[in-house]
């Protein structure tokens, strides 16, 4: 009788060890799927949300924008949660900030800063060329 019970017990202990490995191997595909979802869906979506929040917080008077509905206009004034947009000569509309999808042209103040930076870079390059000569 001992010869019958002993192999059964030994087989059960080996089966338990293999069962743990099978459980881990069974969960491995789910871990990979979660990682794929994170890198392909969740992470880019969070990045885009942060960029949109930054763009909405930097809105200024004079920016040319496009709303979610496709309306082009120029910002006349910026309030805490809303923006007044000039769509035509006598047409002013009030939109929520979240209804703005993109800024097509920054205001003149932003453009001047960009132009100043490009001029400084070109001046630096010309000075470097003079030094090399």
């Amino acid at each position: 009788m001992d010869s019958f019970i002993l192999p059964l017990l030994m087989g059960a202990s080996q089966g338990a060890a293999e069962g743990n490995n099978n459980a881990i191997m069974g969960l491995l595909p789910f871990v990979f799927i979660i990682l794929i979802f994170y890198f392909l869906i969740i992470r880019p979506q969070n990045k885009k949300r942060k960029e949109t929040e930054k763009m909405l917080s930097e809105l200024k008077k004079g920016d040319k924008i496009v709303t979610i509905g496709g309306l082009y206009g120029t910002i006349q004034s910026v309030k805490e949660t809303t923006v007044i947009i000039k769509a035509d000569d006598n047409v002013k509309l009030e939109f929520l900030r979240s209804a703005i999808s993109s800024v097509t042209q920054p205001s003149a103040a932003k453009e001047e800063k960009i132009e100043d930076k490009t001029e400084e870079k070109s001046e630096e390059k010309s000075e470097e060329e003079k030094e090399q000569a």
Side-chain angles (χ1 to χ4, degrees):
M1 208 180 272
D2 287 332
S3 62
F4 177 71
I5 296 174
L6 187 61
L8 264 175
L9 292 174
M10 301 253 322
S13 65
Q14 289 176 353
E18 290 175 5
N20 288 339
N21 287 338
N22 287 339
I24 292 172
M25 294 303 280
L27 291 176
L28 202 56
F30 293 112
V31 171
F32 285 128
I33 290 171
I34 290 170
L35 287 173
I36 289 169
F37 269 94
Y38 176 75
F39 284 108
L40 293 179
I41 296 172
I42 297 169
R43 190 169 177 234
Q45 190 175 20
N46 286 341
K47 198 173 186 181
K48 185 176 181 181
R49 181 182 48 84
K50 286 179 184 179
E51 289 174 359
T52 303
E53 287 176 0
K54 182 181 176 189
M55 184 259 313
L56 292 176
S57 68
E58 293 178 349
L59 290 175
K60 293 183 182 176
K61 182 179 178 179
D63 286 349
K64 295 188 182 207
I65 55 103
V66 179
T67 65
I68 292 173
L71 178 76
Y72 285 79
T74 305
I75 296 177
Q76 287 296 313
S77 66
V78 179
K79 297 181 182 177
E80 188 173 322
T81 59
T82 62
V83 184
I84 296 178
I85 299 170
K86 183 178 178 183
D88 199 12
D89 291 334
N90 296 324
V91 180
K92 293 183 181 176
L93 304 166
E94 188 169 1
F95 284 92
L96 287 174
R97 281 182 179 237
S98 60
I100 297 172
S101 66
S102 64
V103 176
T104 57
Q105 286 183 342
S107 64
K110 289 182 182 177
E111 288 177 0
E112 289 175 6
K113 289 180 183 177
I114 292 170
E115 289 175 5
D116 290 342
K117 289 180 182 177
T118 55
E119 287 177 7
E120 289 175 6
K121 288 181 182 178
S122 63
E123 289 176 2
E124 289 175 4
K125 288 181 182 177
S126 63
E127 289 177 7
E128 290 176 3
E129 290 173 357
K130 289 178 182 177
E131 290 175 2
Q132 291 177 354

